[in-house]
Amino acid sequence: FHEPIRRLQSRITTLIERGLAIRIIFTFSILLVASAYLWFIRFDERDTSLSYNYYSELARSFKQGKFHLTETPSPALLALSNPYNYALRKQAGVEDFPWDASLYDGKFYIYWGPSPSLFLLFFNDETLTRIEDHHLALVFAFGLFIYSALIVTTFWQKLKNTPVWVYATSLLVLGFSIPVTTMLSGANVYETAIFACQFFFIGGCYWAYSTLNDESPVLWKFALAGIHWSFAIGSR
């Protein structure tokens, strides 16, 4: 089994220069993983009738200079002796509110890190109504793969004697490892927060690793690393 692979590797190395082979594999992996992630998240099969766009709604609040959601709790919810009591809410038939939010002083607050919402401030309110949490999960999951692939590629370029097919296998493992694929299949606000935190953390690691490979430290890369890590903290 190993001998045919070795011969194939030798033939590929002969026909294609190593640097070009790495670029081809990197590009192909990006396209393959992007297509697979779109299939995993399956936009057209999701039931969005009961969903709540937490990050988009928080972005709308930020644009109005508020830290709480613009949605006002119903009088029926506020009239309960304990709005957090599920039995009381069930008995009163009060279910018209975002479930994963905190109720304080007559206002709803999101306890998820606000970092993803900051990147939605550039969109108008009409567009925000169409940006759901699983859209952000897809973006951050794919960005996480790109940063991870860049780290592997930067490291792999130093290994002159390592077969290129091992590099290709590494990228596929990164792109299709669990729990990324399973999280995408049911992505919601929880998965979005996790993907965002991982994206910014690994992104910071990439920029820090990148400048450590330079002949002398590059300040703007360190700055990017610090910014990414700050957003990582703000995502959780």
Side-chain angles (χ1 to χ4, degrees):
F1 177 73
H2 293 286
E3 183 60 24
I5 292 179
R6 188 192 65 78
R7 288 199 299 267
L8 178 62
Q9 164 66 24
S10 178
R11 178 64 63 85
I12 293 175
T13 304
T14 302
L15 297 176
I16 304 176
E17 184 265 332
R18 180 183 177 85
L20 177 59
I22 289 178
R23 290 192 290 273
I24 292 174
I25 292 172
F26 181 85
T27 303
F28 176 77
S29 300
I30 293 294
L31 296 175
L32 178 63
V33 170
S35 301
Y37 282 7
L38 283 170
W39 182 83
F40 282 128
I41 206 163
R42 292 190 291 274
F43 292 124
D44 56 339
E45 296 182 11
R46 298 177 62 90
D47 180 11
T48 59
S49 60
L50 299 178
S51 63
Y52 189 85
N53 305 328
Y54 290 91
Y55 287 116
S56 291
E57 291 300 322
L58 184 59
R60 291 179 61 192
S61 298
F62 285 162
K63 292 174 68 174
Q64 297 178 22
K66 303 174 182 178
F67 291 110
H68 59 83
L69 296 179
T70 57
E71 179 174 340
T72 304
S74 65
L77 179 65
L78 296 177
L80 296 176
S81 58
N82 181 6
Y84 280 98
N85 188 305
Y86 176 78
L88 289 178
R89 297 199 309 266
K90 191 71 173 178
Q91 182 178 358
V94 179
E95 296 183 354
D96 56 340
F97 60 91
W99 277 68
D100 277 299
S102 296
L103 176 63
Y104 175 74
D105 196 25
K107 300 179 181 66
F108 287 126
Y109 293 87
I110 292 179
Y111 46 80
W112 308 102
S115 289
S117 294
L118 299 179
F119 293 89
L120 299 178
L121 296 178
F122 303 99
F123 299 98
N124 57 39
D125 287 352
E126 182 180 354
T127 303
L128 287 175
T129 60
R130 299 194 297 267
I131 300 178
E132 302 187 18
D133 292 331
H134 60 274
H135 295 137
L136 295 177
L138 175 63
V139 171
F140 286 124
F142 184 58
L144 171 63
F145 169 73
I146 291 178
Y147 269 137
S148 301
L150 286 172
I151 292 176
V152 171
T153 303
T154 304
F155 175 76
W156 214 268
Q157 288 174 338
K158 301 179 179 180
L159 306 177
K160 303 299 183 182
N161 298 321
T162 306
V164 176
W165 67 267
V166 179
Y167 164 71
T169 304
S170 301
L171 293 186
L172 293 178
V173 170
L174 278 175
F176 296 103
S177 60
I178 296 174
V180 174
T181 53
T182 55
M183 288 171 62
L184 279 174
S185 63
N188 212 312
V189 63
Y190 324 105
E191 290 78 14
T192 303
I194 294 172
F195 278 133
C197 183
Q198 292 178 333
F199 166 77
F200 290 118
F201 176 72
I202 297 301
C205 291
Y206 166 73
W207 289 113
Y209 177 59
S210 176
T211 193
L212 291 176
N213 285 304
D214 296 330
E215 294 183 0
S216 58
V218 180
L219 293 181
W220 66 267
K221 289 185 178 180
F222 276 127
L224 277 177
I227 292 172
H228 275 72
W229 288 332
S230 298
F231 279 120
I233 295 173
S235 297
R236 299 297 290 144

